[in-house]
């Protein structure tokens, strides 16, 4: 079935739509025709901006979930039919394909569902200068594209799918980026475990760590996709890291989510660092003077006194990028509560330069945290003592419809401080309410509770912050119990 297809109508019918970062949907809903249409609309949008010309290259890569190769082939078909040359960069991290494409001045896309389960997938789109922002999403949504009927079956299956052979050029550039920036042998004598699971970053992590002198210990590799969420770390991943610390022994353990743009960094005891704490430490190591992060991130950022200015945004890398673009510092960086780190400025340190990469990256966080510990001569567990004692925790209620989450949060917010105090009677008086993204509540005793629907899946997310780790854990469980009653 061919003809003209409206992207807005396609979103409504298929359920595949733009979320916090990129287009997301059920893998079954992301048919070849749907993915073809999204890619064609993306390219037409860039043509309208005069950022690409027919005949130029478009880079594409993907993660390791089962539906990714099929979707990549559909995207490659759209690229070819639109008059461009697809460059298959293979199974590599999102920041790796983005890094190479930005350096080459070409458009790119990444097929990935990031950290969500493999019954879903997605596509992240990149302009030649970096990832698309919300204005780009609106422009793509408003487009209509021509679908060649001879390309597809009546069910939207691509006939004769094909994908160019994978090129290692983007992977090599990504590895070299960090080998060139971090001091030679800066991790010599350090035993670092790499929790491989199904993250597409596992090869890059091991290569860079070894090149910098670390003894790399690979652990937990699997060919079955594992939905590792760096904001809501699974109980089994908590237990695994602690067991490996006792049985295998290491100075640190590192990993990433499915597409390698959100880090997991653990200490010698197998305790995972919170992403927003790792973000502060990374910004410190890189010498940032202005830091941009969403409202959900730990307030130890401001309390540390390490940075000249901080900017708080809505949750999602497009909002962090927009915040970084507004900043005017010498070294502007950003990070999210999930730990994904972005650099708006080139970073100069000890005579070496790290080119800007304004998209989420996991590898820089692992290396900066390990580098900071090595420079200070302390274990990774000792880094948290450098920061004010503020502790965060987060989790989500799965299978919670987005509309219902929005309605429940709006109802609580409309009731004001009295309704909030009644919903959480043991947290005391409400000090402040922030509706930048969802509902963030500051209580007089210092506790913080933040509620919002996920932008990527039908989930209700809850973030909390307190003055002790035990208090944060208890606060999270208390809030989740309240939210369960909202179903």
């Amino acid at each position: 079935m061919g003809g003209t297809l409206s992207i807005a109508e396609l979103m409504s019918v298929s359920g595949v739509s733009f979320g916090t970062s990129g287009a997301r949907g059920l893998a079954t809903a992301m048919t070849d025709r749907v993915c073809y249409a999204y890619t064609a609309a993306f390219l037409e949008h860039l043509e309208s901006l005069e950022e690409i010309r027919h005949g130029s290259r478009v880079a594409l890569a993907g993660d390791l979930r089962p539906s990714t190769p099929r979707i990549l082939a559909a995207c490659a078909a759209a690229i070819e039919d639109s008059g461009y040359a697809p460059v298959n960069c293979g199974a590599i991290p999102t920041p790796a394909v983005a890094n190479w494409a930005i350096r080459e001045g070409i458009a790119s896309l990444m097929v990935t569902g990031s950290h969500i389960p493999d019954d879903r997938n997605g596509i992240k789109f990149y302009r030649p200068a970096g990832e698309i922002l919300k204005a780009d999403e609106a422009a793509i949504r408003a487009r209509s594209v021509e679908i060649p009927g001879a390309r597809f079956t009546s069910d939207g299956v691509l006939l004769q799918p094909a994908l160019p052979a994978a090129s290692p050029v983007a992977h090599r550039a990504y590895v070299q980026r960090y080998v060139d920036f971090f001091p030679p042998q800066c991790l010599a004598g350090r035993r670092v475990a790499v929790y491989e699971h199904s993250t597409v970053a596992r090869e890059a992590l091991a290569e860079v760590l070894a090149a910098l002198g670390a003894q790399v210990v690979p652990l937990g590799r699997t060919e079955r996709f594992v939905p590792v969420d760096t904001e809501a770390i699974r109980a089994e991943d908590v237990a695994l890291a602690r067991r490996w610390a006792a049985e295998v022994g290491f100075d640190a353990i590192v990993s990433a989510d499915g597409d390698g743009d959100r880090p997991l960094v653990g200490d010698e005891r197998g305790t995972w660092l919170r992403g927003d704490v790792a973000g502060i430490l990374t910004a410190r190591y890189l010498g940032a003077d202005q830091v941009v992060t969403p409202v959900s991130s730990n307030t130890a950022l401001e309390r540390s006194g390490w940075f000249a200015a901080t900017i708080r945004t809505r949750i999602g890398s497009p909002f962090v990028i927009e915040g970084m673009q507004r900043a005017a510092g010498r070294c502007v960086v950003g990070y999210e509560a999930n730990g994904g780190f972005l650099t708006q400025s080139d970073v100069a340190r000890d005579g070496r330069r790290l080119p800007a990469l304004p998209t989420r990256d996991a590898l820089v966080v692992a290396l900066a945290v390990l580098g900071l510990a090595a420079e200070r001569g302390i274990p990774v567990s000792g880094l948290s003592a450098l920061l004010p004692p503020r502790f965060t925790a987060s989790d989500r209620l799965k299978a919670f419809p987005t509309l219902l989450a929005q309605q429940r949060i709006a109802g609580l917010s409309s009731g004001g401080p009295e309704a909030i105090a009644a919903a959480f009677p043991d947290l005391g008086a409400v000090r402040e309410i922030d509706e930048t993204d969802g509902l963030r509540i500051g209580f007089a005793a210092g506790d913080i509770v933040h509620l919002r629907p996920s932008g990527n899946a039908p989930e209700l997310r809850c973030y909390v912050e307190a003055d002790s780790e035990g208090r944060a854990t208890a606060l999270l469980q208390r809030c989740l119990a309240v939210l369960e009653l909202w179903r």
Side-chain angles (χ1 to χ4, degrees), residues 26 36 48-49 90 166 249 307 316 341 343 407 410 447 462 465:
L26 289 168
Y36 182 104
S48 73
L49 299 176
F307 310 104
F341 200 89
T343 50
Q407 292 172 341
D447 295 332
C462 177
E465 183 176 327

Side-chain angles (χ1 to χ4, degrees), residues 93-427:
T94 296
V97 66
N99 172 69
W100 182 71
I102 291 170
R103 302 284 84 78
E104 294 292 309
I106 63 176
S108 61
L109 63 86
M110 176 75 179
V111 176
T112 178
S114 188
H115 61 286
I116 59 181
D118 65 0
D119 63 334
R120 294 176 176 269
N121 212 325
I123 310 174
K124 296 180 179 180
F125 297 104
Y126 286 80
R127 294 166 59 173
E131 67 181 83
I132 63 171
L133 302 181
K134 292 302 176 183
D136 299 301
E137 291 179 1
I140 293 171
R141 186 183 297 111
R143 303 197 75 86
S144 294
V145 296
E146 289 296 322
I147 303 297
R151 270 290 205 177
F152 302 93
T153 69
S154 59
D155 294 328
V157 177
L158 180 67
L159 297 169
Q160 299 180 326
L163 194 61
S167 166
V169 62
H171 169 81
R172 290 173 180 169
Y174 183 60
V175 168
Q176 200 61 43
R177 163 185 173 84
Y178 292 114
V179 173
D180 288 344
F181 176 71
F182 285 85
Q185 297 298 300
C186 62
L187 300 180
R190 298 269 170 158
R191 182 175 164 88
V192 182
V194 176
Y195 175 26
E196 295 185 325
H197 63 92
S198 56
T199 177
V200 78
R202 55 196 183 189
E203 278 79 17
L205 276 167
E207 285 185 41
V208 175
L209 288 167
L212 296 177
Q215 178 190 358
V216 177
V217 182
L219 296 169
R221 189 183 187 97
T222 177
E223 300 310 314
R224 176 182 58 83
F225 187 82
V226 178
V228 170
D229 186 339
T230 63
E231 276 187 282
I233 301 175
R234 303 179 312 153
E236 50 264 54
D237 291 327
V238 172
L240 270 177
R242 290 176 177 167
R243 176 165 64 82
W244 284 332
E247 296 177 357
V248 179
F250 43 69
D251 295 300
I253 180 170
V254 300
S255 189
D257 70 335
D259 70 318
D261 69 347
R262 304 175 182 211
L264 270 180
V265 182
D267 64 22
E268 70 281 1
R269 300 171 300 193
T271 300
W272 297 114
L273 275 66
R274 293 287 302 176
D276 48 5
V277 170
I280 300 172
L281 297 172
T282 301
R284 178 65 166 176
Y285 179 88
L286 297 179
D289 63 337
Q290 293 206 10
V291 182
V292 182
T293 195
V295 293
S296 57
S297 295
N298 196 315
T299 60
L301 171 69
E302 289 85 1
R303 299 185 186 204
S304 70
W306 285 348
F307 310 104
T310 60
I311 298 174
R312 294 282 181 157
T313 71
R314 291 180 62 187
I315 294 171
S317 57
F319 299 111
V320 175
I321 292 168
E322 290 173 353
M324 293 194 303
Q325 291 173 345
R326 294 194 303 269
R330 168 188 51 80
C331 181
V332 179
V333 304
Y335 66 86
E336 296 189 80
N338 56 44
F341 200 89
L342 312 88
T343 50
Q344 179 69 18
S345 312
D346 290 356
V347 177
R349 195 176 194 272
D350 298 331
R352 299 179 182 85
R353 186 178 71 90
L354 185 68
L357 183 55
T359 194
R360 279 194 309 252
D361 186 22
L363 190 47
V364 68
V365 177
L367 298 173
V369 169
L370 296 179
L372 185 61
E375 285 186 354
R376 302 224 173 191
I378 60 176
V380 173
S381 62
L383 292 174
S384 59
L386 303 177
L387 293 168
R390 291 293 288 174
F391 298 84
T392 55
S394 60
D395 206 341
R396 78 280 198 203
L397 298 184
K398 298 180 181 180
F400 201 110
T402 300
L403 180 59
L404 177 61
Q406 292 170 339
Q407 292 172 341
R408 296 298 194 196
I409 292 172
L412 183 62
S413 177
S414 65
E418 294 79 11
I420 294 171
F424 302 99
D426 51 344
L427 299 187

